[in-house]
Amino acid sequence: MASVTHTPFKPAWWLKSPHLQTIWPTLFRSRVKLDLHLERIDLRDGDFIDLSWHQDSSGPLVMLIHGLEGSIRSHYVTPTLQALHQAGFRTLFMHLRGCSGEPNRLHRSYHSGASEDLKEILERLGTRNQLPDAVVGFSLGGNLLLKYLSETGHKSALGAAVAVSVPFNLGQAATRLEQGLSRIYGRYLLDKLKKSYSEKCQIRGFDKTADLTAIQTIYQFDDKITSLANGFNDADDYYNKCSSGTKLKNINTPTLIIHALDDPFMFPANAPTLDQLGPGVDLELCMNGGHVGFIQGNLPFKAEYWLDKRITQYIKAQLNPENQSDNNNDLQLSSN
């Protein structure tokens, strides 16, 4: 049965601002060095996706997916992999097309609704008896994951899923990133998108389809580049077809959505309501937390990362229901 709950998460008193919650881990959180095995999967359309395996365990397998312009180097990735590993899980990280350090081969790119890529990777892993038991998606990766779950219904083959800081309404998210202090994130991400696009065109020998100097917002980039490269008419068509917020009703897989109402990438009104959720969805709303932040801690500059604990607790409860009563006691907050 679907549920909406307000979590007891409280931000560190010295990081109450949603902007501090969002920016702090990007600047100051230590990435964890892990012994990763890299694998390239060649897709049916001639492109590729790179995976990073961390399997020093015999437990269930959990796969992570990053957000916009993210990678294995994103602040939330290796600490989450480590937290899951310490809880007894095998872990796997999926780079979206062109995000692993080498531009992808085709004109098309990764995007918020490329659920067919996730579907193909899961099918490929399934043929090798390596299908993940759970998948965790952050931001754009969370939207992609929720879209996939809505499309597969009872046939997702996953035991659990977690989606964090999801842009449920892509059009509204693009608008939010043009307003107030959120323009800082919009400009930062736009600069990264334009740089990646330019490098891809240069390395792959593609002609640029738009004048990048005239593109000043995420919406304009999606309208002139992302949408056209991926078969959409324009940005509005892309946003309407790929926003996960209108598709949640079809999700049956046990799924936890973690969302902060002060997320500077979205408007508070973009958070789903109970009647929009499918039977497998638990939506946990936090008054604070920023975008993929959720930082606790009583001591200044001694951050504790609540997401590591909550994600691991939920997946452990879903994959090992008999251990659910112990979940609040056997996991410690990460202070990486």
Side-chain angles (χ1 to χ4, degrees):
M1 181 179 295
S3 69
V4 178
T5 59
H6 288 267
T7 73
F9 168 81
K10 292 183 179 180
W13 61 267
W14 45 279
L15 286 177
K16 282 189 176 181
S17 162
H19 301 294
L20 291 177
Q21 284 278 323
T22 302
I23 294 171
W24 174 273
T26 300
L27 296 178
F28 300 111
R29 189 170 197 189
S30 299
R31 279 53 167 180
V32 180
K33 290 186 178 181
L34 299 174
D35 184 14
L36 299 173
H37 167 68
L38 305 181
E39 178 186 11
R40 175 158 295 181
I41 301 290
D42 288 309
L43 303 175
R44 287 189 289 266
D45 63 7
D47 217 337
F48 68 90
I49 278 179
D50 288 334
L51 306 178
S52 295
W53 292 84
H54 183 236
Q55 292 187 284
D56 293 337
S57 170
S58 59
L61 178 63
V62 181
M63 185 169 79
L64 272 59
I65 309 173
H66 61 83
L68 183 63
E69 287 301 283
S71 71
I72 194 74
R73 295 175 294 279
S74 296
H75 70 82
Y76 47 82
V77 174
T78 53
T80 305
L81 292 174
Q82 182 186 55
L84 289 164
H85 169 66
Q86 291 174 342
F89 295 104
R90 293 176 295 142
T91 54
L92 165 65
F93 179 73
M94 173 181 167
H95 280 100
L96 299 176
R97 297 187 190 224
C99 293
S100 58
E102 178 183 340
N104 64 302
R105 299 170 185 146
L106 304 184
H107 275 284
R108 70 157 293 176
S109 63
Y110 79 96
H111 62 85
S112 298
S115 51
E116 67 276 10
D117 284 353
L118 175 58
K119 181 176 184 290
E120 183 170 350
I121 290 298
L122 293 177
E123 289 175 348
R124 189 74 61 86
L125 294 175
T127 63
R128 301 176 350 191
N129 295 317
Q130 293 178 310
L131 183 71
D133 298 278
V135 177
V136 182
F138 296 88
S139 194
L140 177 150
N143 186 85
L144 188 156
L145 172 60
L146 294 177
K147 181 173 178 285
Y148 166 79
L149 294 173
S150 74
E151 293 165 346
T152 52
H154 291 286
K155 299 180 180 179
S156 77
L158 299 177
V162 181
V164 180
S165 298
V166 176
F168 304 104
N169 185 315
L170 298 172
Q172 288 285 293
T175 299
R176 183 71 180 92
L177 291 172
E178 297 175 18
Q179 298 182 355
L181 289 177
S182 295
R183 287 178 294 180
I184 297 172
Y185 314 114
R187 172 52 62 180
Y188 171 76
L189 290 170
L190 178 62
D191 287 346
K192 292 193 71 174
L193 285 166
K194 290 164 75 170
K195 180 180 179 182
S196 295
Y197 176 70
S198 293
E199 290 177 350
K200 175 178 174 177
C201 289
Q202 181 179 8
I203 293 172
R204 296 299 183 191
F206 298 150
D207 291 331
K208 293 182 181 178
T209 58
D211 177 12
L212 292 183
T213 61
I215 294 177
Q216 298 299 315
T217 66
I218 296 288
Y219 177 87
Q220 291 173 354
F221 186 92
D222 287 339
D223 193 53
K224 300 299 182 182
I225 297 176
T226 307
S227 61
L228 302 183
N230 293 285
F232 302 101
N233 296 328
D234 51 28
D236 293 330
D237 184 43
Y238 163 43
Y239 293 158
N240 289 335
K241 290 178 178 176
C242 295
S243 294
S244 64
T246 58
K247 310 177 191 304
L248 303 176
K249 196 73 174 177
N250 299 320
I251 296 177
N252 293 284
T253 300
T255 301
L256 173 66
I257 300 176
I258 300 173
H259 181 69
L261 292 173
D262 68 351
D263 190 323
F265 283 47
M266 284 160 273
F267 298 105
N270 296 144
T273 55
L274 180 61
D275 64 304
Q276 295 176 296
L277 305 180
V281 181
D282 294 314
L283 171 62
E284 290 194 358
L285 296 174
C286 304
M287 293 302 297
N288 308 100
H291 189 75
V292 197
F294 302 96
I295 304 167
Q296 295 178 325
N298 294 322
L299 298 176
F301 305 106
K302 184 65 173 178
E304 297 174 349
Y305 293 90
W306 177 80
L307 270 182
D308 296 357
K309 178 180 180 180
R310 186 66 192 104
I311 290 170
T312 306
Q313 283 180 338
Y314 179 80
I315 295 176
K316 192 171 184 180
Q318 295 302 318
L319 301 184
N320 302 283
E322 67 277 7
N323 295 329
Q324 187 168 1
S325 62
D326 298 326
N327 282 339
N328 291 328
N329 301 318
D330 62 359
L331 294 172
Q332 300 298 316
L333 286 170
S334 170
S335 57
N336 293 312

